[in-house]
Amino acid sequence: MGRKFQKKKKVEQLEIVPKDENPPLPPQRLSDETIPRKGKWVNKQRVLVFSARGISHRDRHLMRDIKTLMPHHRSEAKMERSKTLAVVNEMCEMKHCNKALLFEGRRKRDLYMWISNTVGSTGPSVKFLVENIHTMAELKLTGNCLRGSRPLLSFDSKFDEVPHLKLLKELFVQTFAVPNHHPKSQPFIDHVYTFTYLDNRIWFRNFQILSEDGGLSEVGPRFVMNPVKIFDGSFTGTTIWENPDYVSPSKQRQMLKKAGNDKYVSRIEQKVRQEATRPVKPYEGIENDELFENQEPLETAKLIAAQAKKKNASEPKKSSKAALTKKIKDKQMKAVQNVIEQKKAKAKRVKKDK
């Protein structure tokens, strides 16, 4: 018996068309369509950190430490003193920065810090007096954290109660917090910033997180911010809030100098008063010891009483209090006149030498 062979049906093979790696874009895009975001870096906060001319070496080290802690910062050269603060908004716009942190020095001893929101010059901006500065390089700050890591921000409970502190809290969060997935940052959280409100000032500390149970070690820098004013614009505008307890450092130094001058004046017055009230005759001891050789007490007492009467009659009457004060003032005036004459003579000598 022969086998019947059936013809197999041919299977149609589909052609494999290579996928175009760069497909052509559609000719038109509707305005309502959203553009998909490719990257994870959404919060693109950039802070311009720089200073004006005239800051001291310690202030410059503090600015360098803050730059080290903030990987999202942008640096800029020193600003000239002749320029106004309104130029900072243009500098931030050229550097594509949203916030500005400006250090301004006065008399090589006082440091002021400006923190401002420069987006469209809308503000707000805050002016601080920075006190009690300690940099990272000091030996007592033994902590160490990863460079570029993201910090935790810890605020005191007062920042949720006082109105102007609520505004400062939001400004600190937007300025000091490192954005998530920033290209220059590390995906670790190993240190914490603490902002504490005490004695009408804000105390800044930076701690390394040693363990999960709350072990901390201070890294630095540490400084105290004394808020002066809050403006509604960026480096301009009207004053929203002003610190009533603020006293400028130059005024404090002036008060201390005045207190020292008062000490000097009181010391001179004491010397003049001592000279005026000094007794003319020294203390007289017991005279006429031969009176006590007599054994009869009545006769001795009569002799002592007679001598006392003679002494009182011979002594002049004591001057009154008004006459004493007049005498003291006359001596003081003579001393002042002598000082003035000496200064005039010295000035004449200087003119002759010239």
Side-chain angles (χ1 to χ4, degrees):
M1 293 177 63
R3 293 182 180 179
K4 293 181 179 180
F5 295 97
Q6 294 180 355
K7 292 182 180 180
K8 293 182 180 179
K9 294 181 180 180
K10 292 183 179 179
V11 180
E12 296 181 358
Q13 294 181 356
L14 299 175
E15 294 182 1
I16 298 172
V17 180
K19 187 178 180 180
D20 192 2
E21 294 180 357
N22 297 319
L25 294 174
Q28 290 181 351
R29 182 177 66 83
L30 299 176
S31 60
D32 297 336
E33 293 179 5
T34 58
I35 301 173
R37 294 182 180 274
K38 294 182 179 179
K40 295 181 181 180
W41 181 30
V42 179
N43 180 20
K44 297 191 177 183
Q45 291 284 344
R46 299 182 185 90
V47 184
L48 185 65
V49 182
F50 67 110
S51 68
R53 289 194 178 276
I55 64 173
S56 63
H57 67 284
R58 180 176 285 272
D59 305 337
R60 189 168 62 252
H61 285 295
L62 174 66
M63 183 179 67
R64 186 186 62 187
D65 292 344
I66 290 177
K67 286 181 179 180
T68 305
L69 294 175
M70 299 168 63
H72 60 295
H73 82 276
R74 292 283 180 90
S75 59
E76 179 64 26
K78 292 180 182 178
M79 189 179 73
E80 298 293 336
R81 285 187 173 183
S82 59
K83 295 182 180 178
T84 59
L85 293 176
V87 182
V88 180
N89 298 323
E90 299 177 4
M91 296 167 68
C92 291
E93 188 177 354
M94 288 188 292
K95 290 278 186 177
H96 304 286
C97 294
N98 305 328
K99 303 289 183 295
L101 206 151
L102 171 65
F103 292 92
E104 189 179 5
R106 301 280 175 84
R107 299 184 181 180
K108 291 284 186 180
R109 57 174 70 182
D110 305 326
L111 179 65
Y112 290 90
M113 182 173 69
W114 288 82
I115 301 178
S116 174
N117 178 27
T118 59
V119 179
S121 302
T122 55
S125 57
V126 191
K127 183 181 181 181
F128 296 99
L129 172 66
V130 184
E131 302 169 334
N132 301 336
I133 298 172
H134 298 273
T135 58
M136 281 186 185
E138 297 188 10
L139 296 175
K140 57 187 172 183
L141 303 177
T142 57
N144 189 15
C145 60
L146 186 65
R147 186 186 179 95
S149 60
R150 300 182 65 214
L152 292 174
L153 270 68
S154 173
F155 290 91
D156 192 6
S157 60
K158 291 275 186 172
F159 283 89
D160 297 325
E161 300 172 2
V162 187
H164 73 276
L165 291 180
K166 291 181 181 178
L167 178 62
L168 292 179
K169 178 182 178 181
E170 184 63 29
L171 198 60
F172 288 150
V173 168
Q174 295 185 15
T175 304
F176 288 100
V178 179
N180 193 14
H181 298 291
H182 191 276
K184 293 183 180 179
S185 67
Q186 301 291 338
F188 303 103
I189 297 176
D190 60 351
H191 60 117
V192 55
Y193 299 158
T194 60
F195 296 88
T196 310
Y197 186 72
L198 181 66
D199 193 20
N200 297 324
R201 290 168 174 80
I202 300 170
W203 302 67
F204 176 86
R205 297 289 184 270
N206 178 25
F207 294 98
Q208 177 195 359
I209 302 173
L210 297 175
S211 58
E212 296 180 358
D213 58 352
L216 298 175
S217 176
E218 190 171 358
V219 181
R222 60 161 71 165
F223 53 91
V224 180
M225 294 177 285
N226 189 2
V228 181
K229 285 184 181 181
I230 301 177
F231 302 93
D232 61 348
S234 177
F235 297 99
T236 53
T238 58
T239 305
I240 302 173
W241 177 84
E242 186 173 0
N243 190 357
D245 302 321
Y246 171 72
V247 181
S248 64
S250 59
K251 186 71 175 177
Q252 290 179 355
R253 288 191 290 269
Q254 185 180 358
M255 291 166 64
L256 290 172
K257 191 176 180 181
K258 190 176 180 182
N261 293 341
D262 293 342
K263 278 185 179 180
Y264 173 74
V265 171
S266 64
R267 191 166 66 247
I268 296 298
E269 286 180 355
Q270 286 177 4
K271 286 183 179 180
V272 173
R273 192 179 294 110
Q274 184 182 5
E275 290 290 333
T277 57
R278 179 178 292 176
V280 179
K281 295 181 180 179
Y283 177 75
E284 296 180 357
I286 300 173
E287 296 180 355
N288 304 323
D289 295 337
E290 65 272 6
L291 295 173
F292 297 96
E293 294 177 0
N294 193 358
Q295 298 295 329
E296 295 181 2
L298 289 174
E299 292 181 4
T300 305
K302 287 178 182 179
L303 291 171
I304 291 173
Q307 286 185 0
K309 282 183 181 179
K310 287 180 182 179
K311 189 176 180 181
N312 291 333
S314 63
E315 283 184 358
K317 291 184 180 179
K318 291 184 179 180
S319 60
S320 62
K321 190 176 180 181
L324 186 63
T325 53
K326 187 179 179 182
K327 190 177 180 182
I328 293 170
K329 286 184 179 179
D330 292 340
K331 283 200 172 184
Q332 288 177 351
M333 287 298 296
K334 286 181 182 178
V336 171
Q337 287 175 359
N338 291 333
V339 172
I340 292 170
E341 289 175 0
Q342 289 175 4
K343 286 188 176 180
K344 285 183 178 179
K346 189 177 180 180
K348 286 181 181 178
R349 286 179 211 151
V350 172
K351 285 183 180 179
K352 286 180 181 179
D353 295 339
K354 287 182 179 179

